[in-house]
Amino acid sequence: MNNQLKYLNLSDLNTTQIRQYQAANQTAFPAITSASKVMKNNWDKLEKYFPSTQIFLIDQEENVIGFMSTVPIFWDQPLKHLPEEGWDWLLKKSIEDYQNNIKPNTLGGLQIIVTKPYQGKGFSKSLIQGAKKMVAKMGFENFIIPIRPTLKHLHPVMDMEEYMLLKKDHKVYDPWIRTHLNSGAKIIKVCKKSMHVYGDLSFWEKIIKQPISQSGSYQVDGALSLVVIDIEKNHGEYQEPNIWISYE
């Protein structure tokens, strides 16, 4: 990494850097994930409880290049037993472990975001390296992430198990899976219910941006799988699959 770049945590940020972080956090992902109740109900607790595990990469002009949101948890079972609820489970468990004074032994990654001026320049790998150093510093046993493949939204009908094996030009098709594998990660398994988003018809009409007149499966911008709508029950549901990976 350039010697003029530095790592900070959330407590170290100045007012301008906090604004940059908040702006990037609000615009990085599609509306369907921003609608997650688990995220809305717990993100402020993440920032309050775990400022030291929010990893920020700062440039020489003191601007935020990117950040990785991580949380400490306790996990003493084989990684193959990590739950299907992936992202939702990881965030909720970190909050519960903290509130119950359970000593963590595992670092979990929730997201990596690189700000627009710096995208495509390899800085996500620098953030991964920063997280690896944190794992070593804390003496943790595991570093796990339920990753959200970058191009899966282009193939919402395809099962994640099939998608993650796709190749193009003899390389792993998805660039985000490829980045992690090239950084030393290993795939554990698919977590099929990683993010759960649900609501009534009016909720989904705002996200889909069109009236919903019949039950069925709907493709939504940015969604990795289809949204299932039931008109009679006035209910719609989205189960997002992710992929559990681990770093040693």
Side-chain angles (χ1 to χ4, degrees):
M1 186 181 73
N2 188 318
N3 291 331
Q4 295 178 312
L5 305 182
K6 61 183 177 182
Y7 292 104
L8 298 179
N9 65 43
L10 186 57
S11 299
D12 299 325
L13 300 187
N14 61 36
T15 302
T16 299
Q17 291 164 343
I18 289 174
R19 284 201 297 266
Q20 291 172 347
Y21 156 62
Q22 291 173 337
N25 210 22
Q26 290 170 0
T27 58
F29 295 103
I32 192 165
T33 59
S34 301
S36 162
K37 291 181 173 63
V38 172
M39 182 187 295
K40 289 182 177 180
N41 292 340
N42 291 286
W43 202 261
D44 60 336
K45 298 185 183 74
L46 173 147
E47 294 175 336
K48 179 181 178 181
Y49 295 164
F50 312 119
S52 64
T53 64
Q54 309 314 303
I55 304 165
F56 291 81
L57 190 59
I58 307 298
D59 71 9
Q60 58 188 352
E61 297 177 349
E62 296 297 314
N63 292 311
V64 173
I65 293 173
F67 50 91
M68 184 171 185
S69 304
T70 71
V71 290
I73 65 166
F74 177 75
W75 182 258
D76 63 353
Q77 300 177 46
L79 296 183
K80 66 182 180 180
H81 293 154
L82 284 166
E84 292 286 322
E85 291 75 17
W87 198 97
D88 285 353
W89 170 85
L90 181 59
L91 178 54
K92 289 191 292 184
K93 179 166 175 55
S94 69
I95 302 300
E96 292 166 1
D97 283 2
Y98 179 90
Q99 292 174 339
N100 290 308
N101 296 310
I102 296 174
K103 185 178 180 180
N105 67 351
T106 296
L107 189 68
L110 290 168
Q111 62 179 13
I112 297 176
I113 295 175
V114 176
T115 57
K116 287 186 178 180
Y118 292 99
Q119 290 175 1
K121 299 179 181 179
F123 287 112
S124 58
K125 293 181 180 179
S126 299
L127 289 162
I128 292 169
Q129 290 302 317
K132 287 182 179 180
K133 291 177 181 178
M134 180 177 293
V135 171
K137 181 179 179 180
M138 292 181 167
F140 284 174
E141 298 173 17
N142 305 303
F143 176 25
I144 57 175
I145 312 173
I147 64 168
R148 186 177 199 272
T150 308
L151 301 181
K152 178 64 172 71
H153 70 280
L154 301 177
H155 310 271
V157 179
M158 184 180 294
D159 287 340
M160 184 65 86
E161 288 89 348
E162 180 182 357
Y163 175 82
M164 70 182 185
L165 298 176
L166 287 180
K167 298 285 184 69
K168 184 177 181 180
D169 299 327
H170 307 291
K171 297 189 298 184
V172 173
Y173 167 72
D174 190 273
W176 197 222
I177 299 175
R178 194 167 63 241
T179 292
H180 282 287
L181 293 178
N182 290 342
S183 299
K186 293 183 178 180
I187 290 176
I188 303 170
K189 64 177 184 179
V190 171
C191 40
K192 295 182 179 180
K193 304 175 183 177
S194 192
M195 181 175 282
H196 183 208
V197 180
Y198 56 92
D200 60 17
L201 295 184
S202 62
F203 169 86
W204 286 110
E205 286 178 338
K206 290 177 183 177
I207 291 178
I208 297 175
K209 296 180 180 179
Q210 66 180 47
I212 299 173
S213 59
Q214 60 184 20
S215 298
S217 297
Y218 287 76
Q219 186 170 346
V220 178
D221 287 344
L224 307 194
S225 57
L226 302 178
V227 174
V228 179
I229 301 290
D230 189 319
I231 291 288
E232 292 182 358
K233 294 182 179 179
N234 187 30
H235 180 78
E237 186 171 24
Y238 172 65
Q239 297 275 16
E240 174 167 299
N242 289 167
I243 303 171
W244 275 119
I245 64 167
S246 69
Y247 282 93
E248 297 181 352

